[in-house]
Amino acid sequence: MKCSLFNTKTFSSSTMAEHIDGNRLQLDLRYRFDYLAKFLNFTSDDIAMLNTFAPIVFPLIPVLSDTVYRKLFSFDITKQYFLIRNEGFEGFMPRKQCSITLDSAQMAFRKDMLSVYLKRILTQGDWNDAFLQYLSQVGKMHTNQAGSGAINVDYIHVNTLLAYLEHLLIDVLCNADTTDDKTKRGILMAINKFFWIQNDFFTMHYLIEANANSTADSVKSETKKSSKCCWL
């Protein structure tokens, strides 16, 4: 049995390709989302599926949030980020990893933030510009691009966290006995598409950060070169 990523019955070499402006993808968030949505076939039906999933997962959000942070606490490389003060949190901050607990005020604050995030993405009916900016800001705040509110987490941890969170939601869905198989399939596809879109919004900011660092390094390198050989 042959398997192809592209269905030749649907697409042919003579099909007119839609033009996508590569520069605009980097500058216009709505344009970028529209491209992702077209490529992934993410439609209003997927949004409706996420909304349908909301009442199923809402009662379990506190457990999901706690599970996520327990996972992050299980590795020292991810636990270290909780020594950084969150923007908006004004309580006591421990200075050593051994002093951090899942029940601390800082962790309760972060769990609340995750809960708010999950509730919003599952109940949002209109993916307007304000909502896209929210998804973008979630990504931006984990890099050094957000100023004083930046956490600056290495991307590998963000990638694994998004995957882990998706798996938790899929597990909830699979155990939803009152949901028929057709609806489950629709929700599963919607969850998967959403996380790829959210992941792209993270990646977008990490690439901006990487390009900025590369430019800065190039300037420093050129400055060093000119200082050694410039005679004027």
Side-chain angles (χ1 to χ4, degrees):
M1 176 179 178
K2 294 183 179 180
C3 180
S4 174
L5 289 175
F6 298 96
N7 187 339
T8 55
K9 293 182 179 180
T10 303
F11 302 100
S12 67
S13 58
S14 61
T15 302
M16 182 65 70
E18 178 181 352
H19 172 67
I20 300 296
D21 187 332
N23 290 327
R24 192 177 173 189
L25 285 175
Q26 311 307 320
L27 302 172
D28 187 334
L29 189 62
R30 168 58 63 178
Y31 186 77
R32 186 184 186 96
F33 168 73
D34 287 344
Y35 166 68
L36 292 170
K38 288 177 183 177
F39 205 111
L40 296 172
N41 196 28
F42 182 82
T43 68
S44 58
D45 290 338
D46 293 294
I47 296 173
M49 285 291 99
L50 292 175
N51 297 161
T52 299
F53 187 42
I56 298 172
V57 75
F58 266 32
L60 298 171
I61 283 181
V63 176
L64 293 176
S65 183
D66 186 70
T67 301
V68 166
Y69 283 99
R70 286 186 184 279
K71 174 63 73 172
L72 292 169
F73 263 48
S74 66
F75 302 98
D76 60 357
I77 198 168
T78 47
K79 188 177 181 181
Q80 66 176 330
Y81 291 108
F82 302 120
L83 293 172
I84 303 172
R85 181 180 296 276
N86 266 83
E87 184 175 14
F89 177 73
E90 299 179 353
F92 171 76
M93 283 292 300
R95 295 183 178 181
K96 297 180 179 180
Q97 284 195 29
C98 59
S99 302
I100 310 172
T101 68
L102 285 166
D103 298 321
S104 66
Q106 163 82 336
M107 296 315 303
F109 181 81
R110 296 209 183 200
K111 289 178 185 180
D112 286 343
M113 289 181 63
L114 178 57
S115 297
V116 169
Y117 169 78
L118 289 173
K119 290 177 181 178
R120 183 162 185 184
I121 64 174
L122 293 174
T123 58
Q124 188 74 22
D126 179 14
W127 281 44
N128 52 31
D129 290 348
F131 181 64
L132 295 184
Q133 287 293 339
Y134 171 74
L135 296 180
S136 175
Q137 184 61 28
V138 170
K140 186 176 183 179
M141 69 180 292
H142 288 82
T143 72
N144 64 6
Q145 301 296 304
S148 60
I151 305 173
N152 204 20
V153 179
D154 288 339
Y155 176 72
I156 184 174
H157 311 308
V158 168
N159 192 39
T160 52
L161 175 59
L162 289 175
Y164 184 67
L165 183 55
E166 180 182 2
H167 294 166
L168 290 178
L169 292 175
I170 290 174
D171 186 56
V172 170
L173 176 64
C174 290
N175 287 286
D177 297 332
T178 57
T179 306
D180 63 85
D181 290 342
K182 182 179 179 181
T183 303
K184 280 186 178 182
R185 182 180 184 279
I187 294 173
L188 177 62
M189 295 289 286
I191 292 172
N192 180 258
K193 293 175 187 180
F194 165 76
F195 275 102
W196 278 108
I197 292 170
Q198 179 66 92
N199 199 357
D200 176 77
F201 281 15
F202 271 90
T203 306
M204 172 179 66
H205 291 293
Y206 276 95
L207 289 176
I208 292 173
E209 176 187 355
N211 290 335
N213 291 339
S214 177
T215 301
D217 289 342
S218 296
V219 171
K220 290 179 182 178
S221 177
E222 290 301 318
T223 301
K224 289 180 180 180
K225 289 179 181 178
S226 61
S227 65
K228 289 181 179 180
C229 65
C230 182
W231 296 339
L232 299 177

